[in-house]
Amino acid sequence: MLSTFFLLPANAQRRGLGLNADGDLLGGSNSSSGGGSTVDRENGWGVAINLGYESPDKDLRDYYKAAPTFGLTVIKRLNNWRFSGSADYRSYKPKQDVFVTESDYGNAYTAFSNFRGIGLYAGIAYSLPITDAVEIYGGINAGSVFISQSFYTEDDAGNQFSFSGNSSLNYLGPKLGVNFASAGNITIGIEGRYGLNITGFNSNTQTGTEVYKGFSAASANLMLTYNF
């Protein structure tokens, strides 16, 4: 979980009432007609909770269903730029109880556990105002997804194999979103993300060269951000 959720650039000359009647909600005013608190809309901070739905892609798509995801993001606003640090969690369920594939010894039968992953990312994005209450943004996240997975396989000849372990996959992917101003210091946003499955690195082993790929998934997220 990822993701920048923020308000429009400040305009120091604007003093009109914002959506919450506490000064100019999107204009960066430090005054308040109602005596409420205001925030620096250009250079302040934000904390966002995201709830989303994520679909695995590439190799994972053949074995696992889409699943909910949730996370937390801290944002630093600097003019139109937004810098972020995010953490999120997902747990994909297998599409079926047992997968049947061909092997040298007849059919092989494989049962998978849930695929669980905790993502940690750093992000950067650039925002553009559309109206006084709406803005769009685009950027990129980069980091790692730390995964936990296990499976058990048995073939027609009685050969058995099991695996259980933890690993990490690199993550690099674009993000696009839109934010809507709400009451007080709250903004509501919708953000889409996609992991590009870029190869992380190659490792030479006794059995040959192993290629470690990146994490690939598409997600849509509802963002709720408190700005301060």
Side-chain angles (χ1 to χ4, degrees), residues 24-48:
D24 186 1
L25 180 64
L26 297 180
S29 169
N30 289 323
S31 65
S32 172
S33 61
S37 63
T38 59
V39 298
D40 185 342
R41 300 298 175 183
E42 280 195 0
N43 300 293
W45 293 83
V47 176

Side-chain angles (χ1 to χ4, degrees), residues 1-60:
M1 21 340 167
L2 14 94
S3 48
T4 51
F5 323 101
F6 37 79
L7 297 178
L8 304 184
N11 183 339
Q13 301 302 316
R14 296 178 62 185
R15 292 294 184 268
L17 294 180
L19 297 182
N20 63 339
D22 281 338
D24 186 1
L25 180 64
L26 297 180
S29 169
N30 289 323
S31 65
S32 172
S33 61
S37 63
T38 59
V39 298
D40 185 342
R41 300 298 175 183
E42 280 195 0
N43 300 293
W45 293 83
V47 176
I49 297 173
N50 74 277
L51 299 174
Y53 199 69
E54 187 172 81
S55 178
D57 201 2
K58 306 300 182 182
D59 296 339
L60 290 178

Side-chain angles (χ1 to χ4, degrees), residues 201-212:
F201 57 91
N202 295 339
S203 176
N204 293 322
T205 68
Q206 292 181 350
T207 59
T209 300
E210 296 184 9
V211 179
Y212 296 83

Side-chain angles (χ1 to χ4, degrees), residues 37-105:
S37 63
T38 59
V39 298
D40 185 342
R41 300 298 175 183
E42 280 195 0
N43 300 293
W45 293 83
V47 176
I49 297 173
N50 74 277
L51 299 174
Y53 199 69
E54 187 172 81
S55 178
D57 201 2
K58 306 300 182 182
D59 296 339
L60 290 178
R61 180 175 55 192
D62 296 333
Y63 301 101
Y64 292 100
K65 304 175 183 178
T69 181
F70 58 89
L72 184 69
T73 297
V74 177
I75 306 114
K76 170 59 179 176
R77 304 184 297 273
L78 186 61
N79 299 316
N80 286 64
W81 292 99
R82 303 296 182 261
F83 303 92
S84 63
S86 304
D88 63 11
Y89 175 81
R90 77 274 295 135
S91 180
Y92 303 147
K93 293 182 179 180
K95 287 186 174 181
Q96 54 196 62
D97 293 336
V98 177
F99 293 84
V100 181
T101 57
E102 294 183 356
S103 73
D104 295 337
Y105 302 95

Side-chain angles (χ1 to χ4, degrees), residues 115-184:
F115 181 98
R116 298 178 176 88
I118 297 175
L120 298 177
Y121 326 102
I124 184 172
Y126 189 83
S127 67
L128 291 174
I130 301 301
T131 71
D132 281 349
V134 180
E135 68 177 354
I136 61 174
Y137 63 90
I140 194 167
N141 283 339
S144 297
V145 179
F146 299 89
I147 64 172
S148 174
Q149 183 187 32
S150 63
F151 63 86
Y152 171 81
T153 298
E154 184 173 349
D155 61 29
D156 287 335
N159 298 308
Q160 300 176 359
F161 178 79
S162 62
F163 170 84
S164 179
N166 302 315
S167 185
S168 65
L169 301 174
N170 65 298
Y171 181 93
L172 178 66
K175 56 186 176 183
L176 294 172
V178 58
N179 281 315
F180 303 91
S182 184

